[in-house]
Structure formats: C-alpha cells, structure tokens
Amino acid sequence: CVDDGVLTYDCAVFPPAATSPYVLPWSIGTTHRAFPHAAKDNPTLDDKYSVEVLMPIGTGILAMRDGVVALVEESFVDGDNAPRHENYVLLEHEDGTVAPYVHLTYGGAVFSVADRVRQGEIIAYSGHTGSSTEPHLHVDLTNAVTDNQTLPLNFRNATTVPPLKPDLSCGLRYGVLYTAEPY
C-alpha cells in the first residue's frame, strides 16, 4: 500500500514504544530525520526494519541498550563510497539481539570488542563510509551477530517535532524529525 509515495506496512509487528527497552541513538534534546527501510518500495528481508538517520559526520552515537561490543570496524575513510567499506560497531544485548551501528567515521569507535557499555553512552561517532550517499547512521536490530534479518524496532524516548502528533505504532516514520527525550 502506498501513501504519498511511501509504503505503509504492518504496524502490528512493532513493539509498543512505551515499553521498549531501546532509546534513540542520539543525544537527549537533539533532533534528526529518520528514513526507515520498511517504507521504501524495495526493502529486502534482510534490511526491512533498518533505519537511516541523517546526521553530520562526528555526531555522537549512543547505545540504544546496555550490551557488550561484539565487533568493530573503523579503518575506512569518510566519502570513499565503496561497497563493504562501512565502519561499524555491533552491540550484543543480554537477550541475544544485536544492534549494528553503521557508516561511522574513520577511527570513530569509542569502545573495543568485549567492552561492556551502558544505554545512553557514546559508543561511536557518525560518518560517511561505505555505500553511503551522504553522512548518516544506519541502525537496526537482529537476533544474532550472524543473522542479517532485521526485527521491528521502536524507541521509548522518541517524540516528533511539532506540529506532528507523535505516533510510534509503526516505529519511526519516513522523513519525520525525531527528538530524543529524557528516559
């Protein structure tokens, strides 16, 4: 189903925002525009619930949930636009889910593999690496480090910029500005 050129999708698969264990991966009080893959006309099963978030290079990326750093890549330079040259941090949570934070800047990881991080800590800095047309953060949630199929994701501290009425029944909406509220 298409609405204003953007696909609509099954909202029933998204967990309620109010009880989500996840928070937005940017600083409280800051605002960024979200572009969820599920609203595109060609999402693959692997990235259907991924979200792209526009942000300048060097923006602090926060852990969406407590976890342990499972993998880090930070050797690629910003703006090379080469496939598979994405810098990233993969954070594994207590329940076995994994959140990859992708397109980070060169040398942008704050933690190393096996480090424990707390929700809301800066874990990396945004960039423009790999298959990227502009500086942004790519984030999603999977069941394991080796699983590429993304899961529906919602955030308990997301609010929309007025005059929009916040509606997180389908996770983040395409092209909407979201502010990270205290949690």
Side-chain angles (χ1 to χ4, degrees):
C1 175
V2 178
D3 182 16
D4 293 331
V6 176
L7 289 180
T8 58
Y9 43 97
D10 183 8
C11 295
V13 300
F14 284 86
T19 57
S20 174
Y22 301 95
V23 297
L24 291 170
W26 55 85
S27 297
I28 291 172
T30 62
T31 301
H32 294 282
R33 191 172 306 277
F35 295 93
H37 285 211
K40 293 180 177 180
D41 62 1
N42 63 347
T44 67
L45 190 59
D46 288 351
D47 71 355
K48 181 174 184 174
Y49 298 110
S50 299
V51 178
E52 307 286 347
V53 182
L54 298 181
M55 54 182 54
I57 294 172
T59 302
I61 304 300
L62 281 55
M64 298 184 297
R65 186 173 177 185
D66 291 355
V68 175
V69 177
L71 293 170
V72 172
E73 172 59 63
E74 59 180 338
S75 66
F76 299 112
V77 297
D78 291 295
D80 77 350
N81 302 101
R84 292 184 288 286
H85 279 199
E86 290 83 10
N87 292 333
Y88 55 82
V89 169
L90 269 64
L91 190 60
E92 187 168 6
H93 310 119
E94 182 179 289
D95 64 359
T97 58
V98 174
Y101 302 79
V102 186
H103 300 295
L104 307 175
T105 195
Y106 172 79
V110 173
F111 291 94
S112 300
V113 171
D115 286 347
R116 292 185 107 19
V117 300
R118 305 275 307 164
Q119 183 175 58
E121 280 188 290
I122 292 179
I123 59 169
Y125 292 92
S126 65
H128 180 35
T129 58
S131 294
S132 172
T133 57
E134 59 191 312
H136 72 285
L137 171 68
H138 169 109
V139 68
D140 58 53
L141 186 65
T142 64
N143 276 319
V145 172
T146 57
D147 183 9
N148 290 332
Q149 187 172 342
T150 58
L151 303 170
L153 179 61
N154 221 330
F155 303 93
R156 72 174 182 265
N157 72 327
T159 62
T160 54
V161 174
L164 293 176
K165 180 182 174 192
D167 177 7
L168 295 169
S169 61
C170 280
L172 302 183
R173 303 290 179 133
Y174 194 86
V176 173
L177 289 166
Y178 289 93
T179 300
E181 294 294 324
Y183 52 93

